[in-house]
């Protein structure tokens, strides 16, 4: 396989895919590896233009300054994919792998690998020397074998490839911090890929302690990513299922979560009751794990993980129904202010956001929505929603404007500005009774009830 003495040989790295993974990852690597040139390439010219502008296509705290510091020094954004591949010793594939349309069923959903396969074919056709190809995209187990086969079938004479799985473990909103201070870096390869693994490890070793850089088999690395996201999603569904029990019994889910989180065997992370999980990874990766389990003839395992998805959807429906039930005649014609549309705070990403699902259910029942999010563009909101026959919505420039004449505020993203809002002014602008549905337990309930709000968490 590829023979490479990393620190002396790796001078150029190409990243195919200028999205939420490729851009931030390359920016941090360029910052920490000043002697290596990093080129991020994409077929989307508008996206590449945005990366070369003062308004980046991805919002992450700390990312702007990193890009400005490294851009045109050792960090480049280009649409010239072939040249970047040709110059690189390492090519990272960081393209989208959405759930394949038409494969959603009780057996999960198969990941669409067409972009990954197209990248592999293009790398094989363009590479002029031995090259390490790195999977950064979240992929099902066995994808590395598919990529390796494509590379072998289309490679130029005397050009060899090593295929590594190097999954990202980034959380949107803290991606730069996660990259600068990773809990672990996993590099998976086949038996013959040891030198290639060490080459990639040497790049990370510029800033990551060696004991946090773990090498393993390629299948293990691919599964580790799916397993990590599935377990995190499971924790969200678990605490949300307990919140239903708390509602029925009068217990306080925050107190229950705190008691559980203080157990060192459990820990406190991902034990905050919410409207459910969203984003580009959790649902897709759990569905992919369900699909994998079913395809391996493990129906009980598939059903177990499918129930995580079912609980997430059920919780969104239950939260929506609590809003509807608060009004004697339902929400038809009722103005509701929706505060937050991103799937989590700290990001402008609305992919698979619970807010879209909840808003759509309210619109389908005739609600009049006024939506505000500090980071999600209006165009993204409109891509996600259909006003339908009776419902309607507007996108507002600030939270207070959205609340004018509303009979309820629904908090669907835990942005800090919502907790610090001037709730006395908000109360004066709303109809009566003024209701607040706190989908993330982020507000000061005692303060709001003192002002006069009817609060539901």
């Amino acid at each position: 396989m590829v023979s490479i003495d990393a620190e002396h040989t790796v001078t150029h790295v190409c990243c195919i895919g200028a999205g939420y993974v490729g851009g931030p990852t390359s920016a941090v690597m360029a910052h920490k590896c000043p002697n290596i040139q990093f080129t991020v390439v994409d077929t989307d010219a508008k996206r590449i233009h945005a990366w070369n502008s003062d308004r980046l296509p991805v919002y992450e705290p700390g990312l702007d300054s990193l890009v400005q510091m490294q851009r045109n020094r050792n960090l480049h954004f280009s649409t010239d994919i072939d040249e970047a591949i040709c110059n690189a010793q390492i090519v990272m594939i960081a393209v989208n792998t959405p759930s394949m349309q038409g494969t959603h069923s009780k057996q999960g959903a198969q990941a669409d690998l067409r972009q990954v396969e197209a990248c592999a074919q293009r790398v094989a056709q363009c590479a002029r020397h031995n090259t390490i190809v790195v999977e950064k995209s979240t992929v099902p187990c066995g994808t590395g074998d598919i990529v390796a086969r494509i590379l072998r079938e289309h490679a130029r004479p005397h050009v060899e490839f090593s295929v590594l799985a190097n999954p990202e473990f980034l959380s949107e909103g803290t991606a730069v911090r996660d990259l600068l201070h990773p809990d672990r870096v996993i590099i998976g390869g086949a038996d013959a890929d040891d030198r290639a693994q060490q080459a990639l490890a040497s790049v990370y070793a510029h800033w990551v302690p060696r004991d946090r850089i773990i090498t393993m088999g390629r299948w293990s690395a691919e599964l580790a990513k799916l397993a990590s996201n599935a377990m995190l999603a499971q924790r969200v569904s678990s605490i949300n299922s307990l919140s239903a029990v708390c509602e029925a019994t009068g217990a306080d889910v925050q107190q229950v979560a705190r008691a559980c989180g203080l157990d060192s065997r459990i820990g406190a992370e991902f034990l905050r009751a919410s409207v459910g999980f969203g984003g580009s990874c959790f649902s897709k990766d759990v569905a992919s794990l369900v699909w994998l389990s079913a395809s391996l003839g493990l129906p009980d395992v598939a059903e177990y993980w499918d129930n995580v998805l079912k609980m997430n959807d059920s919780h969104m429906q239950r939260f929506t129904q609590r809003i509807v039930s608060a009004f004697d005649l339902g929400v038809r014609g009722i103005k509701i202010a929706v505060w937050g549309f991103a799937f989590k705070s700290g990001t402008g990403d609305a992919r698979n956001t619970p807010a879209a699902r909840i808003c759509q259910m309210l619109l389908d029942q005739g609600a009049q929505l006024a939506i505000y999010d500090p980071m999600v563009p209006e165009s993204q909101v409109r891509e996600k929603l259909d006003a339908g026959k009776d419902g309607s919505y507007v996108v507002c420039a600030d939270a207070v404007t959205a609340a004018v004449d509303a009979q309820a505020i629904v908090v669907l993203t835990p942005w800090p500005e919502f907790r610090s809002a001037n709730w006395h002014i908000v109360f004066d602008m709303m109809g009566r009774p003024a209701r607040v549905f706190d989908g993330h337990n982020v507000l000061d309930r005692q303060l709001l009830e003192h002002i006069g709000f009817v609060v539901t968490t």
Side-chain angles (χ1 to χ4, degrees):
M1 304 303 287
V2 175
S3 177
I4 192 167
D5 293 321
E7 290 186 276
H8 303 291
T9 309
V10 177
T11 58
H12 289 78
V13 174
C14 166
C15 179
I16 306 177
Y20 282 89
V21 174
T25 298
S26 298
V28 170
M29 283 185 158
H31 176 62
K32 290 296 185 179
C33 306
N35 296 325
I36 301 176
Q37 295 292 317
F38 292 85
T39 303
V40 183
V41 294
D42 204 294
T43 57
D44 188 337
K46 289 183 178 179
R47 179 171 285 267
I48 291 298
H49 176 75
W51 279 109
N52 284 315
S53 72
D54 293 331
R55 188 175 180 83
L56 304 185
V58 172
Y59 170 74
E60 281 290 336
L63 181 60
D64 279 11
S65 59
L66 273 182
V67 171
Q68 290 175 14
M69 198 184 317
Q70 304 303 141
R71 192 169 53 200
N72 298 325
R73 293 182 179 181
N74 69 327
L75 177 63
H76 314 277
F77 298 94
S78 173
T79 55
D80 194 341
I81 299 173
D82 295 352
E83 181 182 7
I85 292 171
C86 186
N87 291 334
Q89 291 87 34
I90 297 177
V91 176
M92 301 189 297
I93 297 177
V95 294
N96 195 20
T97 54
S99 296
M100 187 177 291
Q101 295 297 317
T103 66
H104 289 267
S105 68
K106 286 202 277 186
Q107 283 75 46
Q110 187 177 13
D112 187 344
L113 299 178
R114 286 176 292 182
Q115 291 189 60
V116 172
E117 293 168 354
C119 288
Q121 186 167 341
R122 193 156 185 175
V123 170
Q125 293 169 344
C126 295
R128 301 293 195 273
H129 49 255
N130 294 352
T131 304
I132 299 171
V133 178
V134 180
E135 300 171 346
K136 292 297 293 181
S137 302
T138 301
V139 294
C141 294
T143 301
D145 296 345
I146 296 172
V147 171
R149 174 181 55 77
I150 293 172
L151 292 169
R152 286 194 305 270
E153 291 175 353
H154 296 88
R156 292 170 175 269
H158 312 299
V159 176
E160 294 184 350
F161 297 93
S162 282
V163 179
L164 305 179
N166 175 219
E168 52 83 15
F169 295 97
L170 308 182
S171 178
E172 289 191 43
T174 60
V176 172
R177 185 187 69 191
D178 297 339
L179 287 160
L180 290 172
H181 309 286
D183 293 329
R184 75 289 201 201
V185 172
I186 291 177
I187 304 174
D191 292 340
D193 289 331
D194 180 65
R195 296 194 72 176
Q197 287 176 298
Q198 294 308 314
L200 183 57
S202 73
V203 175
Y204 282 106
H206 282 79
W207 78 98
V208 180
R210 281 282 185 175
D211 61 358
R212 293 191 181 184
I213 303 174
I214 305 168
T215 58
M216 60 180 65
R218 196 163 60 209
W219 270 63
S220 297
E222 291 170 341
L223 182 56
K225 168 63 174 180
L226 295 182
S228 294
N229 278 347
M231 288 184 177
L232 293 174
Q234 178 195 50
R235 286 174 71 91
V236 176
S237 283
S238 293
I239 195 62
N240 282 341
S241 71
L242 289 171
S243 73
V245 177
C246 289
E247 290 166 18
T249 61
D252 186 327
V253 69
Q254 294 186 77
Q255 294 177 357
V256 173
R258 182 169 182 268
C260 293
L262 289 172
D263 188 325
S264 60
R265 298 167 300 174
I266 298 173
E269 295 296 320
F270 283 79
L271 285 185
R272 178 179 286 275
S274 66
V275 292
F277 58 78
S280 63
C281 291
F282 280 12
S283 293
K284 180 191 72 173
D285 290 353
V286 176
S288 182
L289 185 57
V290 173
W291 180 277
L292 174 65
S293 302
S295 68
L296 294 172
L298 302 169
D300 292 345
V301 177
E303 183 179 6
Y304 175 86
W305 289 109
D306 190 47
N307 282 331
V308 172
L309 297 175
K310 289 180 178 177
M311 176 55 64
N312 194 50
D313 187 67
S314 173
H315 186 67
M316 293 183 212
Q317 294 184 47
R318 186 165 57 86
F319 181 77
T320 305
Q321 189 54 45
R322 294 187 77 194
I323 299 171
V324 174
S325 299
F327 298 91
D328 293 337
L329 301 177
V331 295
R332 186 177 303 277
I334 298 293
K335 181 180 178 181
I336 298 174
V338 175
W339 284 11
F341 199 80
F343 84 93
K344 61 181 289 188
S345 59
T347 178
D349 192 357
R351 289 179 293 176
N352 202 32
T353 176
R357 177 94 166 92
I358 292 167
C359 285
Q360 192 60 60
M361 286 189 282
L362 291 172
L363 288 170
D364 290 344
Q365 298 204 41
Q368 314 294 307
L369 305 183
I371 302 169
Y372 165 71
D373 188 283
M375 291 306 304
V376 178
E378 181 174 346
S379 58
Q380 279 197 47
V381 176
R382 297 198 176 278
E383 285 175 7
K384 303 291 182 183
L385 299 180
D386 176 12
K389 182 178 179 181
D390 297 311
S392 67
Y393 68 90
V394 295
V395 179
C396 300
D398 60 79
V400 174
T401 299
V404 173
D405 295 329
Q407 292 184 253
I409 294 173
V410 179
V411 177
L412 297 182
T413 309
W415 289 104
E417 70 176 78
F418 297 156
R419 183 178 176 85
S420 60
N422 190 325
W423 284 97
H424 289 89
I425 291 177
V426 172
F427 183 76
D428 290 341
M429 292 181 168
M430 292 179 64
R432 298 291 184 270
R435 302 181 183 275
V436 172
F437 297 88
D438 184 1
H440 290 269
N441 291 299
V442 70
L443 305 177
D444 185 338
R445 179 170 187 162
Q446 186 174 2
L447 170 65
L448 267 60
E449 289 180 338
H450 177 74
I451 292 172
F453 287 98
V454 179
V455 182
T456 302
T457 58

